[in-house]
C-alpha cells in the first residue's frame, strides 16, 4: 500500500508539534446527546503495520481525543454527533479536518477514519484512560532521553522482599502484557505481577519506551537501538538494588524481553534470570521461519539477502514494496543492533541462577526454543507448562481458540506457571 506523508504514517509526525498549537483548539459543539456513550473509550486507528493508539472521551456536551504516542492529550473534538447507533466526530488541526464515522455496538465503536482522502478502519472499546494506581506503587528511574515510569507490586507484610523486574515482549506491548496491535486485552504480565506479590515476591513492570506512560521516550524510529531496551532494563535493576525494601533483584523477560533480560542481567549483575517464551535462536532464523509460510520464493530470497547484509552491519537501500513494512530504511538501524545478539551465546555468559519457561501450546515460540537455550546452558532449570500459550494462559490446541485467549483478561494464568517460578525463587533468590 502506497502511504502518503500524513500525520499518522510514523512516530515522528506533525502531532509532535501540537504543543505549540494549543491556541488553535476549537470549542467542541454538541450535535447530539452523547449521554449513552459518556465515558472513556480506548482503541486504535488501524494503519497497516502501524496501529495508532487513541483514547476518546465523550461527555454530555463535548468530546476529547488523546493520541499518547504523538504527545496529544485531551484535544477537543470540533464536532460530535450521535444518532441512534451512528456516531460521527471530527477534529481540526492546522487547517486539516480528521473525521471518525462509526457505529456503536454495545461496548465497542467501529468505523472509518478519514484524513486528506486517506481512510483507515478504527476501533475503540469502553475502558479507562489509565489504570489509577496508588502513589506508592508508581516509581521512576532516569534513562536515556528522560525519566521512565514503572509500576511496583509489593507483597503485604514486612520486607525486605525479593523483587523481579518484568520486561514485556516485542512490538507495542505495555507493562500489563497488552499490545495496541491486537484487539482487547489479556493482562498477562499484570496478573503475573499480582500473583507473585501474593506469594511474597515484589515486581517492577514498565511500559517500554514509546508505549503507554513512556510514550514520550519514543524518539525517532531511525534512532532507536536494541541496546536502549537493554539499558532501560539495567536501570530498573540498579534502581531496585538501591531500595532497602528489596533483598535480591532478578529479571523476568517475556518473549523479546527474554533476550533483553539476558544482556541486562549481565550488565546490571542481577541475582537471577527467568526467561518466559524466549527465542533460542538468532532473530534472523526466527523471522525467516515465520516468513516462509507467507512469502513466495522471490521474496524469501530477498529477505534472506537483506538479513545477511543487516547482520554484517550494512544498510540496504533498495527494498521491494512488499517488504517495506519489515525492512524500511528507518527500522534497519534497530534491526542491525538486534541482530548482533545470539540468545544462546548471551545465556552462556550469564553465571546466575536461570529458569527457562515455555508453554507446550505456544504458537509463537515453540518448546524447541526453550530446549535450545537449556542445551546452551545445561545448569539452567527448564519448566514446560502444560497447555500454556504465548500469553501465559491455558489455551486449546487449535489456532483460532488459542488466539482468542489473547483478548480475554478474565482467563487466569496457566496452572503450574506461578508455582514453578516461586519454587525456583525460593531456592535461588529468597
Amino acid at each position: 500500500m502506497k502511504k502518503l506523508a500524513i500525520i499518522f504514517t510514523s512516530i515522528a509526525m506533525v502531532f509532535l508539534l501540537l504543543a505549540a498549537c494549543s491556541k488553535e483548539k476549537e470549542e467542541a459543539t454538541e450535535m447530539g446527546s452523547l449521554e449513552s456513550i459518556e465515558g472513556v473509550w480506548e482503541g486504535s486507528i488501524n494503519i497497516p503495520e502501524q496501529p495508532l493508539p487513541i483514547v476518546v472521551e465523550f461527555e454530555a456536551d463535548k468530546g476529547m481525543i488523546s493520541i499518547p504516542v504523538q504527545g496529544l492529550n485531551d484535544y477537543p473534538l470540533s464536532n460530535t454527533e450521535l444518532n441512534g447507533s451512528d456516531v460521527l466526530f471530527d477534529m481540526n488541526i492546522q487547517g486539516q479536518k480528521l473525521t471518525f464515522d462509526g457505529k456503536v455496538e454495545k461496548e465497542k465503536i467501529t468505523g472509518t477514519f478519514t484524513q486528506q482522502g486517506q481512510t483507515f478502519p478504527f476501533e475503540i472499546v469502553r475502558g479507562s484512560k489509565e489504570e489509577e494506581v496508588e502513589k506508592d506503587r508508581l516509581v521512576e528511574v532516569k534513562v536515556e532521553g528522560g525519566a521512565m515510569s514503572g509500576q511496583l507490586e509489593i507483597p503485604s507484610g514486612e520486607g525486605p522482599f525479593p523483587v523481579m523486574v518484568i520486561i514485556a515482549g516485542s512490538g507495542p506491548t505495555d507493562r500489563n502484557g497488552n499490545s495496541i496491535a491486537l484487539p482487547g486485552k489479556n493482562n498477562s504480565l499484570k496478573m503475573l505481577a499480582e500473583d507473585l506479590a501474593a506469594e511474597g515476591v515484589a515486581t517492577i513492570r514498565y511500559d517500554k519506551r514509546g508505549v503507554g506512560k513512556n510514550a514520550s521516550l519514543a524518539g525517532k524510529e531511525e534512532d532507536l537501538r536494541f541496546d536502549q531496551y537493554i539499558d532501560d532494563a539495567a536501570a530498573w535493576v540498579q534502581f531496585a538494588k538501591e531500595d532497602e525494601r528489596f533483598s535480591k533483584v532478578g529479571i523476568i523477560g517475556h518473549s523479546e524481553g527474554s533476550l533483553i533480560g539476558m544482556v541486562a542481567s549481565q550488565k546490571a549483575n542481577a541475582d537471577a534470570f527467568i526467561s518466559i517464551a524466549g527465542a533460542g535462536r538468532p532473530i534472523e532464523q526466527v523471522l525467516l521461519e515465520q516468513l516462509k509460510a507467507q512469502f513466495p520464493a522471490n521474496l524469501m530470497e530477498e529477505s534472506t539477502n537483506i538479513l545477511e547484509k543487516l547482520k554484517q552491519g550494512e544498510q540496504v537501500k533498495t527494498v521491494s514494496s512488499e517488504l517495506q513494512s519489515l525492512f524500511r530504511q528507518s527500522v534497519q538501524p534497530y534491526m542491525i543492533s538486534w541482530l548482533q545478539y545470539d540468545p544462546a551465546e548471551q545465556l552462556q555468559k550469564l553465571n546466575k541462577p536461570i529458569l527457562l519457561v515455555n508453554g507446550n501450546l505456544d504458537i509463537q515460540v515453540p518448546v524447541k526454543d526453550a530446549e535450545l537455550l537449556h542445551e546452551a546452558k545445561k545448569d539452567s532449570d527448564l519448566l514446560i507448562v502444560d497447555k500454556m500459550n504465548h500469553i501465559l494462559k491455558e489455551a486449546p490446541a487449535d489456532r483460532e481458540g488459542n488466539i482468542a485467549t489473547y483478548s480475554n483478561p478474565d482467563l487466569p494464568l496457566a496452572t503450574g506457571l506461578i508455582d514453578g517460578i516461586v519454587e525456583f525463587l525460593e531456592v535461588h533468590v529468597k
Side-chain angles (χ1 to χ4, degrees):
M1 175 179 178
K2 185 177 180 181
K3 296 183 181 179
L4 300 180
I6 60 174
I7 59 175
F8 291 124
T9 54
S10 72
I11 294 297
M13 289 293 159
V14 175
F15 274 141
L16 295 177
L17 304 175
L18 288 177
C21 304
S22 59
K23 291 183 179 180
E24 295 182 18
K25 294 184 179 181
E26 300 181 12
E27 293 294 326
T29 303
E30 181 186 10
M31 298 298 291
S33 174
L34 304 179
E35 184 176 351
S36 64
I37 59 171
E38 273 189 291
V40 176
W41 299 72
E42 298 176 313
S44 62
I45 300 169
N46 297 317
I47 300 170
E49 308 296 338
Q50 203 172 4
L52 191 70
I54 60 174
V55 180
V56 182
E57 183 172 5
F58 297 107
E59 297 181 4
D61 59 349
K62 63 181 180 180
M64 296 176 289
I65 188 169
S66 297
I67 307 179
V69 171
Q70 306 292 357
L72 183 72
N73 295 299
D74 296 332
Y75 193 91
L77 297 172
S78 304
N79 204 44
T80 56
E81 181 177 357
L82 178 65
N83 291 316
S85 62
D86 296 323
V87 61
L88 177 70
F89 53 97
D90 56 45
M91 55 196 292
N92 289 313
I93 296 180
Q94 297 182 335
Q96 293 187 35
K97 185 175 182 179
L98 288 66
T99 302
F100 296 80
D101 188 356
K103 185 174 289 292
V104 183
E105 301 175 11
K106 295 183 179 179
E107 300 297 291
K108 180 171 65 175
I109 299 176
T110 57
T112 302
F113 164 79
T114 303
Q115 181 201 355
Q116 290 186 323
Q118 286 272 19
T119 60
F120 301 101
F122 78 91
E123 178 176 317
I124 52 178
V125 296
R126 196 185 292 274
S128 60
K129 264 188 177 178
E130 184 84 39
E131 277 189 41
E132 290 295 331
V133 294
E134 298 174 6
K135 289 183 179 180
D136 61 356
R137 291 169 59 197
L138 291 175
V139 286
E140 192 173 83
V141 67
K142 290 184 178 180
V143 296
E144 179 186 345
M148 176 169 277
S149 174
Q151 187 166 340
L152 176 64
E153 299 288 344
I154 294 187
S156 58
E158 295 185 7
F161 303 100
V163 63
M164 303 298 290
V165 175
I166 299 176
I167 307 173
S170 60
T173 305
D174 68 15
R175 67 187 184 280
N176 293 329
N178 303 315
S179 172
I180 64 171
L182 298 172
K185 298 180 179 182
N186 62 72
N187 286 339
S188 56
L189 300 185
K190 178 177 185 290
M191 297 169 71
L192 178 64
E194 292 172 345
D195 286 0
L196 287 176
E199 297 292 339
V201 180
T203 60
I204 297 172
R205 66 189 195 277
Y206 58 97
D207 299 327
K208 65 174 62 177
R209 55 179 58 232
V211 176
K213 295 179 73 67
N214 296 317
S216 61
L217 295 172
K220 295 181 179 179
E221 185 175 65
E222 57 265 32
D223 295 332
L224 182 64
R225 300 292 184 274
F226 191 75
D227 299 86
Q228 289 175 298
Y229 291 144
I230 294 169
D231 291 342
D232 292 343
W236 283 113
V237 173
Q238 190 58 44
F239 167 86
K241 283 188 171 187
E242 296 171 0
D243 194 318
E244 295 181 354
R245 292 176 292 180
F246 309 128
S247 52
K248 294 186 177 181
V249 185
I251 287 178
I252 297 176
H254 177 248
S255 192
E256 182 191 53
S258 169
L259 178 55
I260 294 169
M262 290 177 197
V263 187
S265 292
Q266 301 169 41
K267 185 167 186 174
N269 195 26
D271 294 303
F273 172 66
I274 298 175
S275 167
I276 303 179
R281 298 159 288 162
I283 184 57
E284 71 271 17
Q285 294 182 22
V286 177
L287 185 57
L288 287 173
E289 183 179 272
Q290 294 173 346
L291 296 180
K292 191 175 182 180
Q294 307 173 43
F295 286 171
N298 64 315
L299 291 181
M300 280 302 302
E301 182 179 0
E302 183 180 356
S303 298
T304 301
N305 293 336
I306 290 173
L307 285 168
E308 287 178 355
K309 289 188 177 181
L310 293 177
K311 190 158 188 176
Q312 294 169 7
E314 300 177 21
Q315 286 193 246
V316 181
K317 293 183 179 180
T318 303
V319 178
S320 296
S321 59
E322 296 93 336
L323 298 178
Q324 281 294 323
S325 62
L326 280 175
F327 302 118
R328 58 192 178 277
Q329 285 286 315
S330 59
V331 80
Q332 288 186 26
Y334 175 80
M335 295 195 72
I336 288 172
S337 67
W338 189 7
L339 288 164
Q340 304 313 304
Y341 293 99
D342 182 327
E345 291 179 1
Q346 294 303 320
L347 197 65
Q348 289 173 342
K349 298 177 183 179
L350 190 57
N351 295 315
K352 302 290 179 183
I354 298 169
L355 174 63
L356 306 172
V357 184
N358 225 98
N360 65 357
L361 290 181
D362 190 328
I363 58 177
Q364 292 182 241
V365 180
V367 167
K368 71 177 182 181
D369 281 278
E371 294 172 340
L372 285 170
L373 290 174
H374 185 51
E375 185 178 339
K377 188 71 173 176
K378 296 186 184 299
D379 60 348
S380 62
D381 292 350
L382 178 64
L383 172 64
I384 305 301
V385 181
D386 188 38
K387 299 180 182 179
M388 187 176 84
N389 68 359
H390 193 68
I391 52 110
L392 319 184
K393 308 292 184 76
E394 288 191 5
D398 67 286
R399 184 178 181 84
E400 184 178 350
N402 195 308
I403 292 176
T405 68
Y406 284 51
S407 57
N408 188 348
D410 297 325
L411 292 175
L413 298 181
T415 301
L417 174 63
I418 295 297
D419 287 346
I421 291 175
V422 171
E423 288 174 10
F424 169 80
L425 294 178
E426 284 179 342
V427 173
H428 299 290
V429 175
K430 283 194 173 184

